């Protein structure tokens, strides 16, 4: 494929050297190298002897080099647009310098007595304003971000360079008495312009951030060599040791070659410009300040008198360095504070995830396989519900209190960090047993209630443990296994789980897959309800049913609640799930009532549902939309949910009960049973867990618990529902103890609505009402 050729206009606009410019460059540099080599040969002893026999040859070489340098820089400025203004100024300065040199060699050297000052002096001095302007133009074009430290670096560098240049140019400087006015001006101008140029060059480098861009370094080197050659020339002239056609002439030519090389450097993108390391940016100003101190010490100890300008400039450099040092100390403190803040959690002031990971990486590098390191992930249970119910302000305050309590309970060797949200991380130099001891202590500390703005909350947590090297030897593997173990602990309600390498990976993949499939299932209506009847022992009639959710998975078939409910609750899907279950249950209740079957339907609520202040209004709207009286709906909550936030639970349940909805405490006896809560909560039923009911006919302790719970419920004006009735013997015992309602596999398994409808019609004890009455 043909690539379009780049035009000369495009090359000039982009900073590229066009073809004609490259030709001039090759020719000019070739000629310059020949002239420069000739000048160096002339400076050798044998060359000096040959030059004495051929006077004017060295002058020809010098004039040719100066004119060629001015021409090459001018060609660069004309052919390349980038930095054109700066290089036009430099070309103008070099032209003035070359013109002065040519005028000196062609005219003034022929006179027996050269005038001073002359036209050549004016041309040579005219070079400096052009050079100053070119340097400043290049500096401005780079658009360096100049802070206070950059300006101080520039001042230090400029003052130090000017101080040393003034020593070179002003030491032994003869007075101006007896000279004409113009002679005095010119004599003073030469050292002053070189001092200013030296200060400007080093100061500009400092302002550039001490960058080592080639064009910048070559230009500074070229102009610096030129200034040095001027100083040597003045020193030799002052002391009467100057010889024409010497190495000084060669140095001036080298300076011009460096300036031309700088002019023809290709463009450098700002992103590609090298940035010196921080130590260099600090060390260079410090070195210049030390050099200024050495200069002052030399002036005080030496018999030679140091020029006042040198002392003054060195003092300025030192004072600027002191200010720079104070600024650097402040910057270092700010960086240290920023580094600390970047590794500290703003809310809890614990180390954050970044520091946790860095510390874990360091610990793993230092350890061998004989030194164990435990990694624990601590996740607060149902924290999202607290945020949703009470707001983020109270949630943040709770996290702060949790952090304080964890820190106090931890108090050992290792690291406790907040990883984000309601998740904390723990690093412990311990085996599994030691880590279990510490994490158990943390859970014990969290079980104490938290008093928050007139609200008392109970917080639980799930902890996953992984230990180096058994469960992994790198950070990602250990964290993955600890995270999977934490989810297992949350799902199994075991509170603490230790990683199992192979099983954890499989469990993690299954959990993520199940979660994504559940999201799709909720969207696609894959949830169904099975209903288990509840029998009134006094009458033998079916008084109601409990709606039990199932997931009709497209490939796995029927999935029971323990396979997805805890995952849905942790992922924040339980609200959507409960909404669908309530809607399906009320729809089926309406269908039964339409065919004359009068039943109550019980629906389970989760903790997040109970903490939702909009729950009562949502339930009321659902009842009205389906035409179901409130008395036909029973809502069940676990006692563990009630104990988490009894005040909020009591408030929401009271609103539901005032609507005429019956309430039940599900799984009674499996959580933190408390008579105080039972006395205060507005509930109508206690539902005794199957763990006590299933063996009450054979186990005396279970029998005593069931019998006393029945009496307790009746004494509190509640009714008792016994679930898990598996045998006729258990049913007889419950009837003997005056239990109110029963449900279990001995009576009926949970069934789909159509099967249960047929089952109900086959029972003569099922109460029936006419369709017209149901509609009424």
């Amino acid at each position: 494929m043909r690539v379009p050729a780049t035009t000369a206009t495009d090359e000039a606009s982009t900073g590229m050297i066009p073809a004609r410019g490259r030709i001039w460059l090759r020719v000019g540099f070739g000629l310059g190298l020949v002239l420069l080599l000739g000048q160096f040969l002339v400076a050798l002893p044998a060359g000096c002897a040959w030059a004495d026999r051929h006077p004017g040859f060295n002058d020809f070489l010098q004039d040719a080099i100066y004119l060629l340098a001015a021409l090459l820089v001018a060609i660069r400025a004309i052919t390349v647009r980038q930095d054109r203004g700066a290089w036009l100024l430099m070309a103008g300065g070099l032209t003035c310098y070359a013109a002065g040199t040519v005028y000196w060699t062609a005219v003034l050297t022929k006179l027996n007595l050269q005038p001073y000052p002359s036209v050549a002096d004016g041309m040579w001095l005219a070079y400096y304003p052009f050079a100053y302007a070119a340097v400043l133009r290049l500096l401005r074009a780079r658009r360096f971000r100049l802070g206070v430290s950059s300006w101080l670096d520039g001042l230090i560098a400029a003052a130090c360079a000017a101080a040393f240049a003034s020593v070179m140019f002003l030491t032994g400087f003869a007075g101006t008495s007896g000279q004409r006015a113009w002679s005095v001006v010119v004599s003073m101008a030469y050292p002053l312009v070189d001092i200013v140029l030296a200060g400007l060059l080093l100061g500009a480098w400092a302002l550039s951030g001490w960058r080592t861009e080639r064009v910048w370094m070559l230009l500074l080197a070229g102009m610096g060599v030129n200034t040095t050659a001027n100083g040597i020339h003045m020193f030799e002239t002052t002391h009467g040791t100057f010889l024409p056609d010497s190495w000084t002439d060669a140095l001036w030519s080298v300076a011009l070659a460096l300036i031309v090389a700088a002019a023809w450097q290709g463009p450098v993108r700002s992103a590609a410009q090298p940035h010196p390391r921080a130590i260099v940016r600090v060390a260079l100003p410090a070195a210049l300040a030390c050099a200024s101190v050495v200069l002052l010490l030399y002036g005080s100890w030496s018999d030679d008198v140091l020029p006042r300008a040198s002392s003054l400039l060195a003092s300025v450099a030192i004072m600027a360095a002191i200010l720079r040092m104070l600024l650097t100390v402040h910057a270092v403190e700010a960086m240290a504070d920023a580094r600390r803040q970047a590794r500290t959690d703003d809310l809890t002031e614990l180390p954050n995830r970044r520091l946790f990971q860095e510390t874990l990486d360091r610990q793993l590098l230092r350890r061998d396989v004989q030194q164990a390191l435990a990694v624990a992930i601590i996740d607060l249970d149902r924290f999202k519900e607290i945020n949703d119910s009470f707001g983020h302000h109270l949630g943040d305050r709770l996290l702060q209190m949790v952090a304080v309590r964890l820190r106090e309970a931890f108090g050992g060797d290792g690291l406790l960090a907040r990883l984000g949200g309601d998740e904390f991380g723990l690093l412990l130099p311990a085996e599994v047993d030691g880590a279990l001891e510490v994490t158990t202590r943390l859970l014990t500390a969290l079980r104490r209630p938290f008093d928050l703005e007139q609200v008392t909350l109970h917080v639980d947590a799930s902890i996953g443990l992984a230990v180096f090297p058994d469960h992994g030897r790198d950070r990602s593997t250990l964290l993955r296994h600890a995270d999977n173990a934490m989810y297992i602990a949350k799902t199994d309600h075991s509170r603490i789980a230790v990683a199992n390498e192979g099983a954890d990976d499989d469990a993690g993949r299954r959990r993520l897959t199940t979660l994504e499939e559940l999201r799709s299932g909720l969207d696609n209506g894959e949830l169904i309800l099975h209903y288990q009847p509840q029998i009134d022992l006094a009458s033998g009639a079916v008084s109601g049913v409990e709606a039990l959710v199932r997931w009709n998975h497209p490939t796995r078939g029927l999935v029971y609640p323990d396979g997805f409910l805890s995952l849905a609750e942790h992922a924040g899907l339980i609200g959507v799930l409960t909404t669908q279950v309530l809607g399906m249950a009320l729809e089926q209740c309406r269908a039964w009532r339409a065919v004359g079957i009068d039943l109550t339907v019980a629906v389970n609520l989760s903790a997040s549902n109970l903490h939702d202040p909009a729950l009562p209004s949502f339930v009321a709207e659902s009842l009205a939309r389906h035409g179901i009286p409130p008395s036909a709906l029973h809502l069940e909550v676990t006692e563990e949910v009630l104990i988490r936030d009894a005040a909020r639970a009591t408030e929401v349940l009271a609103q539901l009960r005032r609507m005429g909805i019956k309430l039940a405490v599900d799984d009674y006896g499996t959580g933190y049973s408390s008579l105080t809560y039972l006395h205060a909560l507005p509930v109508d039923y206690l539902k005794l867990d199957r763990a006590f009911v299933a063996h009450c006919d054979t186990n005396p302790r279970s029998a005593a618990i069931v019998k006393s719970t029945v009496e307790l419920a009746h004494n509190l004006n509640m009714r008792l529902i016994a679930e898990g009735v598996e045998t006729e013997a258990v049913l007889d015992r419950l009837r003997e103890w005056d239990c109110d309602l029963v449900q279990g596999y001995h009576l009926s398994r949970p069934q789909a609505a159509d099967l249960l409808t047929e089952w109900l019609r086959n029972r003569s004890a099922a109460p029936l009402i006419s369709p017209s009455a149901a509609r009424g």
Side-chain angles (χ1 to χ4, degrees):
M1 184 176 68
R2 291 178 61 87
V3 179
T6 305
T7 65
T9 303
D10 294 333
E11 292 174 333
S13 62
T14 57
M16 297 172 57
I17 301 175
R20 58 177 180 173
R22 287 193 290 271
I23 294 174
W24 279 105
L25 180 62
R26 294 190 187 100
V27 174
F29 268 92
L31 182 58
L33 286 175
V34 172
L35 295 174
L36 192 60
L37 180 60
Q39 194 169 38
F40 271 96
L41 290 176
V42 169
L44 296 174
C48 289
W50 185 86
D52 290 339
R53 295 194 299 270
H54 299 82
F57 180 74
N58 187 61
D59 292 341
F60 165 76
L61 291 177
Q62 191 169 357
D63 292 347
I65 289 175
Y66 281 32
L67 290 172
L68 181 61
L71 179 63
L72 288 175
V73 174
I75 292 173
R76 187 269 180 224
I78 294 171
T79 57
V80 182
R81 179 174 299 177
Q82 186 183 33
D83 295 330
R84 175 173 291 168
W87 294 114
L88 280 175
L89 288 169
M90 184 60 69
L94 292 177
T95 301
C96 292
Y97 208 93
T101 303
V102 171
Y103 183 77
W104 172 264
T105 58
V107 177
L108 298 183
T109 56
K110 304 298 191 292
L111 302 178
N112 294 326
L113 182 63
Q114 291 89 6
Y116 183 79
S118 66
V119 175
D121 293 302
M123 293 179 179
W124 286 330
L125 289 173
Y127 157 77
Y128 290 93
F130 285 101
Y132 299 159
V135 172
L136 294 175
R137 187 74 178 261
L138 285 173
L139 185 64
R140 179 184 176 187
R142 270 41 182 185
R143 293 185 176 89
F144 299 121
R145 297 177 61 182
L146 302 179
V148 177
S149 59
S150 296
W151 285 110
L152 286 174
D153 286 347
L155 180 58
I156 295 168
C160 181
F164 278 89
S166 64
V167 173
M168 183 168 52
F169 288 111
L170 299 181
T171 300
F173 177 72
T176 60
S177 59
Q179 296 185 12
R180 292 178 300 164
W182 278 111
S183 300
V184 173
V185 171
V186 171
S187 298
M188 295 183 63
Y190 275 116
L192 289 178
V193 292
D194 276 313
I195 291 171
V196 171
L197 183 60
L200 177 63
L201 290 174
L202 205 56
W205 187 28
L207 288 175
S208 73
W210 308 103
R211 284 172 170 82
T212 55
E213 180 186 351
R214 281 184 300 174
V215 60
W216 200 247
M217 298 306 296
L218 287 171
L219 180 63
L220 295 180
M223 299 178 75
V225 170
N226 184 70
T227 302
T228 303
N230 290 340
I232 295 173
H233 174 72
M234 177 168 284
F235 178 83
E236 291 177 342
T237 303
T238 303
H239 291 78
T241 60
F242 173 73
L243 295 175
D245 303 332
S246 64
W247 287 103
T248 307
D249 295 337
L251 284 178
W252 279 318
S253 300
V254 170
L256 292 174
L258 290 171
I259 293 173
V260 173
W264 285 93
Q265 291 302 308
V268 179
R269 296 177 182 176
S270 58
Q273 291 180 9
H275 290 261
R277 299 174 63 181
I279 186 64
V280 176
R281 296 196 298 269
V282 174
L284 284 176
L288 293 173
C290 291
S292 300
V293 172
V294 170
L295 182 61
L296 288 179
L297 292 175
Y298 170 79
S300 63
W301 293 341
S302 175
D303 294 334
D304 298 331
V305 178
L306 194 67
R308 290 185 178 180
S310 304
S311 301
L312 178 61
L313 290 169
S315 300
V316 170
I318 294 171
M319 287 187 291
I322 293 173
L323 293 176
R324 180 66 167 88
M325 181 189 66
L326 295 176
L327 190 65
T328 301
V329 170
H330 177 74
V332 169
E333 291 177 348
M335 288 176 61
D337 186 59
R339 179 181 175 85
R340 183 191 62 80
Q341 291 180 5
R343 288 162 175 78
T344 303
D345 178 61
D346 292 335
L347 181 64
T348 62
E349 296 186 355
L350 289 174
N352 62 9
R353 177 182 291 273
R354 181 177 182 179
L355 181 56
F356 181 84
Q357 293 178 342
E358 291 176 352
T359 305
L360 177 55
D361 288 339
R362 286 196 302 270
Q363 293 292 332
L364 292 176
L365 286 174
R366 296 172 183 172
R367 273 175 158 72
D368 54 38
V369 293
Q370 281 76 35
Q371 296 175 300
L373 178 67
V375 180
I377 302 295
I378 307 169
D379 189 82
L380 303 183
D381 294 338
R382 300 185 178 95
F383 180 76
K384 183 178 183 298
E385 301 161 9
I386 297 174
N387 261 344
D388 294 342
S389 302
F390 299 102
H392 290 278
H393 171 71
L394 188 139
D396 289 345
R397 180 62 187 138
L398 177 61
L399 285 174
Q400 291 172 338
M401 297 177 69
V402 167
V404 171
R405 195 169 293 182
L406 288 176
R407 188 188 293 115
E408 292 174 350
F410 174 49
D413 185 22
L415 179 71
L416 172 67
R418 183 190 176 204
L419 304 183
D422 61 341
E423 194 172 70
F424 296 83
L426 192 67
L427 297 180
L428 283 169
E431 300 280 356
V432 173
D433 293 340
L436 285 173
E437 180 181 350
V438 174
T439 52
T440 301
R441 188 166 70 240
L442 297 181
L443 287 177
T444 302
L446 289 178
R447 288 196 181 105
R448 300 197 308 271
F450 292 87
D451 295 323
L452 289 159
E453 299 178 4
Q454 300 179 350
V455 177
T456 299
L457 295 176
H458 290 75
V459 175
D460 284 328
S462 300
I463 301 178
L465 274 174
V467 179
F468 167 88
D470 298 339
H471 305 127
R473 300 191 179 188
D474 60 84
R475 185 226 301 170
S476 60
T477 304
L478 286 170
L479 289 178
R480 186 178 74 251
H481 286 315
D483 198 52
N484 288 335
M486 182 270 293
Y487 277 105
I488 292 173
K490 193 177 290 290
T491 302
D492 298 345
H493 302 286
S494 57
R495 302 190 185 280
I496 302 176
V498 180
N500 184 328
E501 189 168 350
D504 284 350
D505 287 338
D506 294 339
R509 283 191 289 268
R510 285 198 304 270
R511 184 177 67 253
L512 292 175
T513 302
T514 302
L515 179 59
E516 292 306 313
E517 292 174 345
L518 179 59
R519 293 182 192 274
S520 300
L522 289 172
D523 294 336
N524 298 331
E526 295 175 2
L527 296 184
I528 61 173
L529 293 182
H530 284 186
Y531 299 90
Q532 187 173 39
Q534 296 175 336
I535 310 297
D536 189 319
L537 281 181
S539 63
V542 178
S543 64
V545 294
E546 180 182 6
L548 300 170
V549 66
R550 305 286 189 264
W551 178 12
N552 190 17
H553 195 280
T555 59
R556 293 160 55 188
L558 210 60
V559 181
Y560 286 84
D562 56 358
F564 63 92
L565 274 186
S566 61
L567 185 61
E569 187 157 5
H570 185 72
L573 300 176
I574 198 67
V576 178
L577 189 149
T578 304
T579 298
Q580 292 189 15
V581 169
L582 182 61
M584 289 188 291
L586 293 178
E587 180 66 28
Q588 184 58 48
C589 184
R590 180 172 65 180
W592 278 326
R593 292 175 65 83
V595 297
I597 302 177
D598 184 16
L599 294 173
T600 62
V601 61
V603 175
N604 290 277
L605 296 180
S606 72
S608 59
N609 300 135
L610 198 60
H611 291 148
D612 184 1
L615 176 66
S617 60
F618 171 75
V619 173
E621 292 172 3
S622 299
L623 289 170
R625 185 169 61 254
H626 291 90
I628 304 299
S631 59
L633 177 64
H634 290 190
L635 297 176
E636 299 182 358
V637 293
T638 63
E639 61 176 328
E640 184 178 357
V641 171
L642 299 175
I643 291 176
R644 285 181 184 279
D645 181 12
R648 174 57 64 92
T650 301
E651 180 183 347
V652 173
L653 292 175
Q655 294 182 51
L656 293 169
R657 197 163 186 255
R658 285 195 294 268
M659 293 165 52
I661 298 171
K662 299 298 184 181
L663 305 172
V665 176
D666 194 13
D667 298 333
Y668 180 75
T670 60
Y672 305 105
S673 302
S674 171
L675 296 180
T676 302
Y677 293 123
L678 290 179
H679 175 73
L681 290 173
V683 294
D684 304 284
Y685 294 89
L686 284 184
K687 196 170 185 179
L688 192 60
D689 188 73
R690 68 180 67 249
F692 305 107
V693 175
H695 305 290
C696 68
D697 62 325
T698 58
N699 188 314
R701 296 174 69 88
S702 295
I705 291 173
V706 173
K707 185 178 180 179
S708 62
T709 304
V710 171
E711 295 175 355
L712 174 64
H714 292 164
N715 290 335
L716 294 174
N717 295 321
M718 299 178 187
R719 304 188 75 192
L720 188 121
I721 304 174
E723 60 178 344
V725 178
E726 308 288 345
T727 64
E728 185 67 26
V730 170
L731 185 61
D732 290 339
R733 298 298 296 270
L734 292 173
R735 188 180 290 113
E736 177 186 340
W737 294 329
D738 293 329
C739 181
D740 300 292
L741 298 167
V742 293
Q743 69 181 87
Y745 281 14
H746 178 65
L747 304 171
S748 173
R749 288 176 175 272
Q751 304 177 60
D754 55 344
L755 297 177
L756 184 62
T757 301
E758 186 66 25
W759 184 87
L760 289 170
R761 285 174 174 167
N762 293 332
R763 283 185 57 91
S764 59
L768 301 177
I769 61 173
S770 66
S772 60
R775 296 188 192 96

